[in-house]
């Protein structure tokens, strides 16, 4: 299964992609996660990406395209993959199409998780993540058992610097400017399945499964 998860920051696409990846046994590839790791490790990509990410802007296409092409070349992606946060604009979608034509096969489905902006800001401001194992929580909607600490590995949870409200508003503007065109792009290719991301988390997973049913 070769699937793209599309939607604004905070729509829950990362959570859903992680769940589906576990259920279906394919890797969950989040470009945001890859870039944050590169920044933490101080790699050349990380050093270039850092400033863009802190401003809530997109990292240049060629950098992200290369990162994804390299990741898709690893053997585990041969079984399929769930892309989360990529592509972010039609140019990246065309770059992905070229990589897939060379190595894999066409996309099976694009899952579009949509949520309104005010709900997104509320959700993102309460989001806390585990810097060690990557688990994601929410202070109100999905609290960890012990406040401030990861259920899976016990590490202290942190708020991403770009989850601060002012940066979130910028990220949403960037999303609307760049990514909304992608919905049309994939709709025209008959790949798009819409999911209401305002629903409770388990219902969203059912809706995602329904969209993916025919792509299994
Ligand atoms: P995310 O975790 O998907 O919200 O991504 C966090 C940040 O990483 C974004 O605000 C961008 O700065 C950068 N980023 C992630 N994916 C991409 C992409 N496909 N293209 C450009 N920048 C990206």
């Amino acid at each position: 299964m070769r699937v793209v998860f599309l939607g604004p920051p905070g729509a829950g696409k990362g959570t859903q992609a992680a769940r589906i990846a576990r259920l279906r046994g394919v890797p969950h590839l989040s470009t945001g996660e890859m870039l944050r790791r590169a920044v933490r490790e101080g790699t050349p990509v990380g050093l270039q990406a850092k400033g863009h990410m802190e401003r809530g802007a997109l990292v240049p296409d060629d950098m992200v395209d290369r990162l994804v092409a390299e990741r898709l070349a690893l053997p585990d992606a041969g079984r399929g993959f769930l892309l989360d946060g990529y592509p972010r604009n039609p140019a990246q979608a065309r770059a992905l199409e070229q990589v897939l034509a060379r190595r894999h096969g066409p996309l099976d489905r694009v899952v579009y998780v949509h949520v309104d902006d005010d709900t997104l800001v509320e959700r993102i401001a309460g989001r806390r993540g585990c810097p060690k194992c990557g688990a994601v929580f929410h202070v109100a909607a999905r609290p960890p058992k012990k406040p401030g600490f990861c259920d899976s590995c016990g590490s202290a949870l942190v708020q991403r610097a770009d989850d601060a409200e002012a940066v979130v508003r910028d990220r949403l503007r960037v999303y609307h400017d760049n990514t909304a065109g992608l919905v049309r792009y994939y709709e025209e290719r008959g790949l798009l399945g819409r999911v209401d991301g305002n629903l409770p988390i388990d219902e969203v997973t059912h809706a995602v499964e329904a969209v993916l049913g025919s792509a299994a």
Side-chain angles (χ1 to χ4, degrees):
M1 83 173 343
R2 292 178 292 272
V3 171
V4 164
F5 278 75
L6 191 65
K13 56 187 192 312
T15 303
Q16 296 299 332
R19 282 186 168 197
I20 303 289
R22 256 196 318 275
L23 290 170
R24 307 272 184 128
V26 293
H28 166 206
L29 310 181
S30 153
T31 44
E33 256 324 301
M34 291 181 207
L35 289 165
R36 279 187 289 280
R37 193 179 323 126
V39 170
R40 272 199 308 277
E41 293 173 356
T43 67
V45 167
L47 292 176
Q48 271 182 282
K50 192 167 187 276
H52 299 284
M53 295 174 76
E54 282 171 353
R55 285 198 311 280
L58 290 186
V59 170
D61 288 347
D62 57 343
M63 208 156 121
V64 189
D65 291 342
R66 206 168 334 115
L67 206 63
V68 172
E70 283 169 12
R71 181 59 186 86
L72 289 179
L74 298 183
D76 64 341
R79 295 196 308 272
F81 51 81
L82 304 178
L83 276 170
D84 159 17
Y86 179 91
R88 279 267 221 291
N89 56 38
Q92 292 183 6
R94 284 190 290 274
L96 174 63
E97 228 162 63
Q98 283 174 11
V99 171
L100 295 185
R102 276 201 301 276
R103 202 175 259 284
H104 296 273
L107 284 178
D108 297 302
R109 212 84 171 99
V110 175
V111 180
Y112 173 37
V113 186
H114 57 94
V115 176
D116 60 86
D117 280 7
D118 287 340
T119 308
L120 292 172
V121 172
E122 205 179 289
R123 279 189 186 182
I124 296 178
R127 190 153 74 172
R128 300 290 182 273
C130 175
K132 189 146 174 238
C133 74
V136 180
F137 301 87
H138 189 281
V139 290
R142 202 177 169 216
K145 289 193 189 82
K146 184 177 169 202
F149 294 91
C150 179
D151 285 354
S152 312
C153 73
S155 303
L157 300 175
V158 294
Q159 183 179 37
R160 276 168 49 180
D162 63 349
D163 278 353
E165 178 161 348
V167 184
V168 170
R169 297 265 175 208
D170 279 343
R171 286 165 65 202
L172 286 175
R173 195 176 33 71
V174 168
Y175 168 76
H176 289 302
D177 288 351
N178 290 279
T179 318
L182 265 185
V183 171
R184 208 168 41 245
Y185 179 95
Y186 284 127
E187 209 158 35
E188 283 165 8
R189 285 158 178 75
L191 289 172
L192 199 79
R194 287 170 195 270
V195 167
D196 180 358
N198 294 292
L199 297 172
I201 196 163
D202 290 340
E203 285 178 43
V204 179
T205 305
H206 284 137
V208 172
E209 286 282 16
V211 164
L212 294 180
S214 53

